[in-house]
């Protein structure tokens, strides 16, 4: 889930960066320090805007950096267990497909692709349903549900997020549309 919140924190400003317009410097350092960072509440900061310095900075003995308190608006993404996500298949492997949704990737294990036996077509980079003939390939847009979360705080892109499409209303987007039309005809 995406959200916009106001946040406060301290940024370290290295002495070599001091000089020039302080407000521009604070903006630049805050972008570098917070964007792409996973917070303690498991939210991933995507964008920092409207950065404001609060009070005077503090110099730490032996460090030399100025630690400046800042307030800022941030766009964040918080993955939730059970959340529906739309994404794009970015890689097919022998054990499943990786799906990029927002700033993160999740694994769609072969057992969670569809209610059909799934074969791997390694030559064409596809997962193919044995009976249905439906296939999943790189570039396909899908709707899935998050089933497990193991967030890596240090490197959010290395988080382990499990996905499923084995529920009604989930799957490749054109499958969902075809199933909806078929259901309306009955």
């Amino acid at each position: 889930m995406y959200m916009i919140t106001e946040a406060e924190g301290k940024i370290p400003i290295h002495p070599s960066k001091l000089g020039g317009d302080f407000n521009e410097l604070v903006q630049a350092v805050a972008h570098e320090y917070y964007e792409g960072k996973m917070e303690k509440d498991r939210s991933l900061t995507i964008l920092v805007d409207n950065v404001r310095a609060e009070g005077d900075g503090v110099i730490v003995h032996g460090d030399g950096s100025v630690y400046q308190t800042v307030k800022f608006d941030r766009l964040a993404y918080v993955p939730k267990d059970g959340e529906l996500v739309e994404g794009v298949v970015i890689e097919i492997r022998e054990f499943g497909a990786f799906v990029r949704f927002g700033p993160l990737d999740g694994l769609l294990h072969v057992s969670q692709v569809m209610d059909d036996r799934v074969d791997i077509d390694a030559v064409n980079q596809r997962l193919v349903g044995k009976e249905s003939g439906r296939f999943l390939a790189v570039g396909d847009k899908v709707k899935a549900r998050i089933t497990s979360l193991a967030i890596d705080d240090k490197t959010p892109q290395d988080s382990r997020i499990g996905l499923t499409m084995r529920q009604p209303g989930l799957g490749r987007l054109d499958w969902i549309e075809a199933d909806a039309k078929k259901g309306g005809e009955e």
Side-chain angles (χ1 to χ4, degrees):
M1 153 185 356
Y2 289 95
M3 61 183 174
I4 296 176
T5 62
E6 184 174 74
E8 182 176 316
K10 284 192 188 286
I11 55 171
I13 303 172
H14 192 270
S16 65
K17 295 183 178 181
L18 294 172
D21 187 311
F22 187 70
N23 290 327
E24 286 180 17
L25 175 62
V26 167
Q27 280 277 353
V29 172
H31 284 282
E32 182 181 309
Y33 190 73
Y34 287 108
E35 289 177 356
K37 182 179 176 187
M38 186 69 72
E39 301 298 328
K40 290 177 184 156
D41 66 354
R42 303 276 186 192
S43 64
L44 176 64
T45 301
I46 297 169
L47 180 68
V48 171
D49 193 27
N50 193 23
V51 180
R52 304 161 311 277
E54 295 286 319
D56 295 329
V58 176
I59 299 173
V60 176
H61 179 69
D63 183 341
S65 291
V66 175
Y67 287 83
Q68 178 65 52
T69 300
V70 292
K71 286 189 177 179
F72 54 93
D73 298 327
R74 72 184 189 116
L75 172 63
Y77 179 75
V78 184
K80 301 280 187 190
D81 197 18
E83 177 181 6
L84 290 176
V85 295
E86 281 193 25
V88 176
V89 176
I90 59 168
E91 186 178 1
I92 300 288
R93 303 291 300 264
E94 63 277 355
F95 50 82
F98 286 98
V99 176
R100 178 154 299 148
F101 57 95
L104 299 172
D105 298 341
L107 172 63
L108 186 58
H109 189 268
V110 289
S111 66
Q112 298 301 311
V113 174
M114 62 182 86
D115 293 329
D116 192 355
R117 178 173 154 73
V118 176
D119 291 330
I120 292 92
D121 177 1
V123 173
N124 296 311
Q125 288 284 294
R126 302 183 318 166
L127 300 175
V128 182
K130 192 167 187 96
E131 293 177 24
S132 67
R134 289 182 168 182
F135 65 89
L136 193 63
V138 173
D140 287 345
K141 294 180 181 175
V142 299
K143 184 183 283 188
R145 182 177 304 278
I146 295 175
T147 57
S148 64
L149 288 167
I151 302 296
D152 185 330
D153 296 337
K154 298 213 184 302
T155 313
Q157 291 72 21
D158 291 340
S159 297
R160 295 167 50 106
I161 300 171
L163 302 171
T164 187
M165 293 192 321
R166 286 187 64 180
Q167 295 174 354
L170 301 180
R172 204 169 79 179
L173 295 185
D174 61 327
W175 299 349
I176 297 169
E177 189 177 307
D179 290 346
K181 285 180 182 176
K182 191 168 106 176
E185 293 172 359
E186 293 177 21

